[in-house]
Amino acid sequence: MRPLLRRLLPALCSAAARALLARRAVPMALPAEGAAWAGGNVRSAAGAAPEPDGLENIQQKKIFKENKEKTQQSEEPCAADSVDSLMAEMPFVDTDIEDEHAMCATSELSTKKKRKRTIGKEIEEGIERKKKKNKQYQPNYFISLPITNPKITGSIQAVQDAIIQKDQRFSKAMVRSGSLHVTMLVMHLSSEEEIGIAVGALSDSKVFVDNLLKGKRVDLSFQGIDHFRNQVGFVNLAENDHTALLKEIAETMKKIFQEKGIMTGEERSFKPHLTFMKLSKSTELRKQVKKIDSSLYEDFKNHYFGDEILHRFDLCSMLKKKQPNGYYYCESSIVFGKSHEADLVKEALRRETQALLPRLNQIKELLTSPEIRTKISKELFEDRHNSNSKWKSCIDSESPNA
């Protein structure tokens, strides 16, 4: 609006000036005309009076000319005064263009600052909403591959004991033997209905997993220790064909759960591992210790921990009370095929037999000792002799019991 007024202002001023000049020119012209008219009347009234001579006419013309020049001189300042007075009536008349631009720039600056504050506020609100959303969708359930091989759990216990012996504070960071597992995927389940859907998704996964396994036995070898940003200590899963198969199973299960509408956590690639310690288990410990020093487990860095047969997946809760053996609360499980169950039984018997073999060898060594054999023979002979003596006495007495 203001740029338009600035363009129209000169035209308005010149028009106003012309109007004032015209208005003031009329009354100024009237005296001249009146003088002429009056002169005419005087001349007519004189009647027979003689007409003025040429000298008088020259004098009158000179007077008229002087009056006209004075009139023009007096009119010019009036016109200027009128323009000034007209301009004074205009709004924005005292506003300088530079000042206006400065005001505009200031206004823009304040607008930008306001916008910045608004954007900053929006960002803060967005962060708060994101935090709230992250908290709302924070994982509270996971699919677990439980570790049941005593060799693995025993070796991990040895590592934990060695670390605690070096630094007692890390006792709060250790994962219990009963809780050892490999996490296949995590999810957020906010209601019993969603838990039921997840149970169904796990059940549906069994068919796909069986098709992937095709009756094959999957041995997962655990060897070596590594860490995540010095905050989590874990045992590595050795890379082989079975590890690749486990990753494929994880991806398949993830797709099945997502198709059911279950949010399955991060999109990062699946890296199977067996966690045995983490600083996040204790808030107090995290204040005291900032990282896990790799020198604490240096002696076990390439240690072979054992093999775990893939036989079961569990849907576990992170928040519900754990079982007495330390394992997580389990909503549902799937087991793979009868052949795998039979292998598990055989494996359990084999482990029990291996545990008994040292004792059996001790017994065998005792039986091969001549002293022990003599002692055993003597005891057997004495027992048989005593038994025969009692039998003979019973016959001689003709006891009814005999």
Side-chain angles (χ1 to χ4, degrees), residues 146-340:
I147 302 300
T148 57
N149 185 348
K151 182 178 180 181
I152 298 175
T153 56
S155 297
I156 288 177
Q157 184 67 56
V159 175
Q160 292 174 333
D161 292 341
I163 293 173
I164 293 171
Q165 191 174 2
K166 292 178 181 179
D167 193 334
Q168 185 66 33
R169 294 176 299 176
F170 284 105
S171 60
K172 298 175 182 178
M174 299 305 172
V175 178
R176 288 180 59 185
S177 297
S179 300
L180 293 172
H181 68 281
V182 174
T183 301
M184 298 296 290
L185 61 94
V186 297
M187 66 198 76
H188 177 85
L189 306 176
S190 58
S191 63
E192 290 297 326
E193 182 181 358
E194 288 189 356
I195 293 172
I197 294 171
V199 169
L202 180 63
S203 179
D204 292 345
S205 300
K206 177 176 167 54
V207 178
F208 290 91
V209 173
D210 281 334
N211 289 337
L212 285 172
L213 295 178
K214 296 177 181 178
K216 292 186 296 185
R217 166 173 159 165
V218 178
D219 292 321
L220 303 173
S221 298
F222 291 91
Q223 183 172 6
I225 295 178
D226 205 346
H227 64 86
F228 291 131
R229 296 175 305 202
N230 294 107
Q231 300 293 306
V232 177
F234 62 88
V235 177
N236 278 315
L237 188 60
E239 289 289 339
N240 52 35
D241 294 341
H242 290 176
T243 309
L245 185 58
L246 184 68
K247 290 179 179 179
E248 189 176 355
I249 291 171
E251 288 300 319
T252 302
M253 294 181 73
K254 186 174 183 178
K255 288 178 183 177
I256 293 170
F257 275 79
Q258 287 177 343
E259 287 172 0
K260 295 280 186 179
I262 301 297
M263 185 176 292
T264 55
E266 301 175 348
E267 295 297 328
R268 288 183 294 182
S269 59
F270 172 64
K271 182 180 179 179
H273 60 278
L274 175 53
T275 300
F276 67 88
M277 68 179 298
K278 50 186 175 181
L279 295 181
S280 61
K281 282 183 68 66
S282 172
T283 307
E284 183 182 348
L285 178 63
R286 293 190 75 173
K287 292 178 182 178
Q288 299 173 3
V289 181
K290 299 302 180 184
K291 66 176 186 177
I292 301 170
D293 193 343
S294 60
S295 63
L296 294 170
Y297 50 80
E298 188 67 31
D299 297 337
F300 298 88
K301 205 157 189 179
N302 298 311
H303 181 74
Y304 171 70
F305 289 83
D307 292 353
E308 179 70 32
I309 299 173
L310 177 62
H311 68 283
R312 194 178 89 218
F313 288 134
D314 301 322
L315 174 62
C316 298
S317 170
M318 298 181 186
L319 305 177
K320 292 182 180 180
K321 187 177 179 180
K322 290 184 178 181
Q323 300 178 33
N325 63 354
Y327 192 62
Y328 297 88
Y329 180 89
C330 185
E331 298 283 354
S332 179
S333 301
I334 55 172
V335 181
F336 310 117
K338 292 181 180 179
S339 60
H340 292 285

Side-chain angles (χ1 to χ4, degrees), residues 371-388:
E371 294 179 359
I372 298 297
R373 289 173 67 88
T374 304
K375 189 175 181 180
I376 292 172
S377 299
K378 186 178 179 181
E379 288 179 357
L380 289 173
F381 177 78
E382 288 178 354
D383 287 343
R384 187 168 57 181
H385 178 73
N386 292 334
S387 177
N388 289 337

Side-chain angles (χ1 to χ4, degrees), residues 71 75 116 136-137 141 144 188 222 257 279 328 356 399:
T71 303
E75 285 173 353
K116 258 186 181 179
Q136 185 178 357
Y137 292 103
Y141 277 84
S144 165
H188 177 85
F222 291 91
F257 275 79
L279 295 181
Y328 297 88
L356 291 172
S399 168

